[in-house]
Amino acid sequence: VDQETPERGPEARSGRRSSTLTRRCANGSRRHYATQAFEPETENMPKRVVISGATGRMGQALAALIQSDAELEAAGGLDVHARSGAEAKKFGVPEIAAIDDAAELIRNADVVIDFSAAAGIRSLLQKHGAALSGKALVIGTTGLTDDINALITGVAKRAPVIVSANYSIGVNLML
């Protein structure tokens, strides 16, 4: 029976913490898989999330969920047109950047969640592929074409990416 056990890595001696996943194989041997090291001062900070498609129904639902979770912070939103102040806050985010001008907002995020439209994700990937490097990218947009999937594959070489056209639990259990 395989067992997975998190352990502290050797980085602990240097003040950094790391997780190592240890898997005990059926034959009794152990395999160790290093996971990402993290700095102690950022360990308990909320994950900064940018929502692409922030003015849509799903974007607003995500903003509300993020606000109710102490481990997450809505860093901002992305849309065709920029919005700030009270106009952005009515969508549950502190600011909404136009996709063309979103590089800084993306660079300051930990996670980008996209529930926009096919044209929106295409624009995001084409214009900000470099800024997405190292950021977790969650895509729930439907109607992805082959060229968009190729852009997603390119980003996935530099960042963790998950794509699903339907995030309902029942649908994903059936897949």
Side-chain angles (χ1 to χ4, degrees), residues 53-121:
T55 61
R57 285 187 309 240
M58 192 63 190
Q60 291 176 62
L62 286 167
L65 289 170
I66 289 167
Q67 288 176 355
S68 69
D69 189 328
E71 294 182 11
L72 301 173
E73 175 188 341
L78 305 177
D79 200 47
V80 176
H81 304 288
R83 295 174 171 91
S84 61
E87 192 175 3
K89 287 185 173 126
K90 77 178 181 182
F91 295 105
V93 294
E95 69 174 301
I96 297 174
I99 295 259
D100 291 343
D101 304 319
E104 184 177 345
L105 187 60
I106 293 169
R107 276 193 295 272
N108 292 327
D110 299 305
V111 180
V112 176
I113 302 175
D114 181 83
F115 273 91
S116 59
I121 188 66

Side-chain angles (χ1 to χ4, degrees), residues 8-20 34-38:
R8 297 262 322 220
E11 293 87 352
R13 288 182 225 109
S14 67
R16 292 183 69 182
R17 288 184 56 200
S18 172
S19 294
T20 303
T35 59
Q36 184 175 1
F38 50 91

Side-chain angles (χ1 to χ4, degrees), residues 153-167:
T153 300
V155 170
K157 293 176 182 174
R158 302 179 312 276
V161 175
I162 184 169
V163 180
S164 178
N166 189 328
Y167 276 90

